[in-house]
Amino acid sequence: MRIDARTDILGLIDVQPTFMPVGELPVADGDVIVPVINRLLKRFQHAFATQDWHPADHASFASVHAGRQPYETIEMTYGAQVLWPDHGIAGSPAAAIHPDIDQTRVEVIIRKGFRRTLDSYSAFFENDRTTPTGLEGWLRQRGFTRIFFCGLATDFCVAWSAEDAVRIGFGAVVIEDACRGIGLPSRDGRTTIDEARERLTAQGVRFIESAELNPI
Ligand code: VGL
Ligand code: ZN
């Protein structure tokens, strides 16, 4: 697959210490993707990044719901919500972009999930699927038409971002070896990672390995 230097952009989703294996919401092998992403950042001319950026009493935290445990699901006004351990606290060191990421080509950073009662997985919209982050306008004004996604977590913020990207008319490619997932159990012994890959593929999102990108 060929990268078009003018119209393709690499999207780094939530590459933050809070999601690393020793972080507050650990993603298994989340640290393995950092060098893979740094190699990708040399291949793309343009990149953007997102940061999960929550107030300390965010409604997605199990700790603010009496009697609830992390990874249980509850109903919110906008639909089902998985409850998480406290993570991505705005301004904390664990919510920074991972310090080993080379940010030279990261041209814009979008923060999401800062409204107390509304979670936000996607880089484009909060979880009500209508409150915009502003990323769509930025990408369009800059002339980008296709986004290559990497980061954490494959089955939540990466999946929701890629899904919104195709829904609003961008091309979307997930670079699987530059992502890791949380992998909650879902139906028939499958995980939320299997489920996301299947759902997104049906919507036109492509899944590739970084080795499938043409050499420079
Ligand atoms: C994420 C759960 C909660 C993610 C963020 O980055 O995928 N997952 N907040
Ligand atoms: Zn979050």
Side-chain angles (χ1 to χ4, degrees):
M1 186 179 257
R2 240 193 80 249
I3 300 169
D4 185 319
R6 288 176 310 112
T7 55
D8 287 340
I9 186 164
L10 184 67
L12 277 64
I13 304 299
D14 299 1
V15 187
Q16 297 167 273
T18 195
F19 298 116
M20 294 293 150
V22 295
E24 298 148 309
L25 201 177
V27 179
D29 288 336
D31 49 346
V32 168
I33 68 173
V34 171
V36 181
I37 292 173
N38 278 335
R39 283 194 289 278
L40 289 168
L41 281 163
K42 292 188 176 23
R43 309 283 310 275
F44 286 81
Q45 289 300 312
H46 308 278
F48 71 84
T50 62
Q51 280 174 282
D52 216 33
W53 199 253
H54 298 311
D57 58 349
H58 193 245
S60 76
F61 297 169
S63 61
V64 308
H65 301 274
R68 297 288 178 177
Q69 295 300 314
Y71 307 104
E72 285 180 17
T73 300
I74 63 163
E75 275 305 310
M76 302 276 262
T77 50
Y78 51 83
Q81 170 72 52
V82 179
L83 295 177
W84 304 107
D86 295 12
H87 67 278
I89 309 293
S92 73
I97 301 222
H98 192 290
D100 294 342
I101 289 287
D102 174 2
Q103 294 190 40
T104 310
R105 291 183 179 175
V106 176
E107 296 170 353
V108 73
I109 296 172
I110 295 285
R111 291 173 172 167
K112 59 187 179 62
F114 46 75
R115 293 173 184 84
R116 192 181 60 81
T117 57
L118 181 55
D119 204 5
S120 183
Y121 295 152
S122 166
F124 293 97
F125 298 98
E126 309 280 325
N127 283 10
D128 61 2
R129 309 214 94 161
T130 52
T131 305
T133 62
L135 180 63
E136 177 184 0
W138 185 87
L139 290 169
R140 289 202 201 286
Q141 284 195 306
R142 294 289 312 278
F144 298 112
T145 56
R146 186 168 60 167
I147 306 152
F148 287 71
F149 289 99
C150 59
L152 305 168
T154 319
D155 39 351
F156 288 93
C157 292
V158 174
W160 286 50
S161 298
E163 197 166 23
D164 278 343
V166 291
R167 181 164 65 88
I168 60 181
F170 291 99
V173 181
V174 174
I175 308 176
E176 280 211 87
D177 57 320
C179 299
R180 286 295 183 279
I182 295 172
L184 299 180
S186 100
R187 287 166 289 110
D188 313 323
R190 293 166 0 120
T191 70
T192 45
I193 303 174
D194 307 317
E195 208 175 67
R197 193 184 299 104
E198 199 171 300
R199 185 177 81 244
L200 271 59
T201 301
Q203 293 168 8
V205 177
R206 290 192 56 183
F207 284 76
I208 66 163
E209 298 289 324
S210 55
E212 290 173 56
L213 293 170
N214 284 358
I216 309 166

